[in-house]
Amino acid sequence: MENGMKTAAKLKFFADGKKLSPKKQMVSVLFGENGYICVTTTFNESFMKKYACDVCGWEYDPEVGDPDNGIQPGISFEDLPEDFVCPICGVGKDQFSEQ
């Protein structure tokens, strides 16, 4: 680091080629006196859980997403928009159960 300046970087993390939600990762960056950078990450293991609609049984799989409705793969159920509805029967997120 020149002149003692610190640089922040926007980091993106992937698991099996799919981008992880920032809400599901913790990043620690340590700047050593010798100029080396150590980056460690931890991930919430539950971020890829499937959820099923209690009304019609449609299953949301975060590894697949819901591309027909603009939800890309790698988005956890918790990170879906609050106005997300079942693409089959139209009920809200509160009508889904973890599988």
Side-chain angles (χ1 to χ4, degrees):
M1 290 183 285
E2 293 181 19
N3 301 327
M5 294 174 55
K6 294 182 181 178
T7 303
K10 185 173 185 178
L11 303 173
K12 295 180 182 176
F13 293 92
F14 296 81
D16 297 326
K18 296 178 177 69
K19 184 179 174 189
L20 298 177
S21 164
K23 294 179 183 177
K24 305 301 175 199
Q25 62 195 14
M26 175 191 271
V27 181
S28 299
V29 179
L30 304 173
F31 295 93
E33 301 236 351
N34 57 6
Y36 289 102
I37 299 172
C38 176
V39 178
T40 59
T41 60
T42 56
F43 300 99
N44 181 344
E45 295 297 325
S46 67
F47 81 97
M48 292 302 253
K49 289 185 179 179
K50 296 178 184 179
Y51 282 75
C53 176
D54 297 332
V55 176
C56 71
W58 181 82
E59 184 176 84
Y60 177 75
D61 181 349
E63 291 188 21
V64 176
D66 185 13
D68 292 339
N69 293 298
I71 307 295
Q72 299 300 315
I75 305 296
S76 70
F77 185 81
E78 293 85 1
D79 288 337
L80 291 173
E82 288 305 313
D83 62 351
F84 174 83
V85 295
C86 175
I88 303 300
C89 68
V91 298
K93 286 173 67 174
D94 61 331
Q95 297 292 309
F96 280 74
S97 296
E98 185 180 313
Q99 298 298 295

